[in-house]
Amino acid sequence: MALGYARETAGMHPLSPQIDALTGAGVDPARIYTDAADNPESVSSTPPRQGLTALLDYARPGDTTVVVGIDRLGRNAPEVLATARELSGRRIGLRSLREGLDTDDPAGAMIVGVLASLAELDAEIEGQRRSTARPRTDSTSTVGRPRALDDDQIDVAERMRAAGQPVPSIAAALGVSRATLYRTLAERRSVR
């Protein structure tokens, strides 16, 4: 049995032309399931698609879901492919009028399979990008600019200061400014 599905998008893809195309393709008007445009003021970020849910509840193995375009199966690529995979897993065919895809045809089934594989690959690559973009932190990492003097140099500066050396000569010997040396020594004293 051919089951039609039409999903309206606010401002574009109205239901009536989709329903006309589905009935023109031989789908019984009583077997066309619809979802109206999402309400932009809706509290939920992903409102339920009751028409698609009703179609999936009614559909049996061997039935075919007919859509005007494959993009009508979801709001984004992962959602479209998840719906296509669910249909395939339940042995429910998929036919898209615009793209000329029909999963009852071996070539159409292969194209949908390739699209699903590409979407999974894209999701995996995006996950890797996110994980590598996150800065790695451990107990020794610091935020901000690296310190001008390491702990050994600070120890030397403190010994030189305790021996009565003037700050300008200590700073010159360590290759830092006087302000850096004063700040570093003050930070060391506040930590102790």
Side-chain angles (χ1 to χ4, degrees):
M1 176 180 292
L3 306 172
Y5 177 67
R7 183 178 62 85
E8 181 179 45
T9 305
M12 46 194 319
H13 305 292
L15 287 176
S16 58
Q18 292 181 64
I19 293 169
D20 292 343
L22 293 171
T23 55
V27 179
D28 179 1
R31 293 290 165 230
I32 296 176
Y33 298 85
T34 62
D35 281 316
D38 300 337
N39 180 359
E41 297 160 7
S42 173
V43 176
S44 171
S45 61
T46 54
R49 295 180 293 161
Q50 292 154 340
L52 182 62
T53 301
L55 180 144
L56 293 172
D57 287 345
Y58 183 83
R60 301 291 173 255
D63 289 346
T64 300
T65 300
V66 182
V67 291
V68 171
I70 200 160
D71 63 322
R72 299 294 81 211
L73 290 175
R75 296 176 197 97
N76 51 47
E79 199 172 86
V80 167
L81 291 166
T83 304
R85 255 183 291 199
E86 181 174 356
L87 293 170
S88 174
R90 292 180 52 191
R91 295 190 338 235
I92 299 168
L94 172 62
R95 191 171 79 173
S96 174
L97 303 177
R98 183 184 327 127
E99 290 88 5
L101 289 175
D102 189 345
T103 58
D104 288 339
D105 174 46
M110 180 192 72
I111 290 171
V112 171
V114 168
L115 290 173
S117 297
L118 289 173
E120 287 176 15
L121 177 65
D122 187 48
E124 188 175 313
I125 289 170
E126 185 60 30
Q128 289 174 351
R129 280 188 202 132
R130 285 188 190 135
S131 68
T132 58
R134 280 188 219 122
R136 302 272 181 203
T137 58
D138 58 13
S139 59
T140 61
S141 67
T142 58
V143 177
R145 253 176 102 167
R147 291 176 23 188
L149 299 172
D150 63 24
D151 289 336
D152 292 337
Q153 290 172 317
I154 297 171
D155 289 341
V156 169
E158 285 180 329
R159 283 195 300 271
M160 291 173 78
R161 185 80 173 121
Q165 293 252 339
V167 170
S169 65
I170 299 170
L174 295 173
V176 295
S177 70
R178 289 180 306 177
T180 298
L181 184 59
Y182 278 121
R183 185 179 55 252
T184 302
L185 292 174
E187 287 172 0
R188 173 66 74 88
R189 279 191 297 272
S190 70
V191 170
R192 289 183 178 171

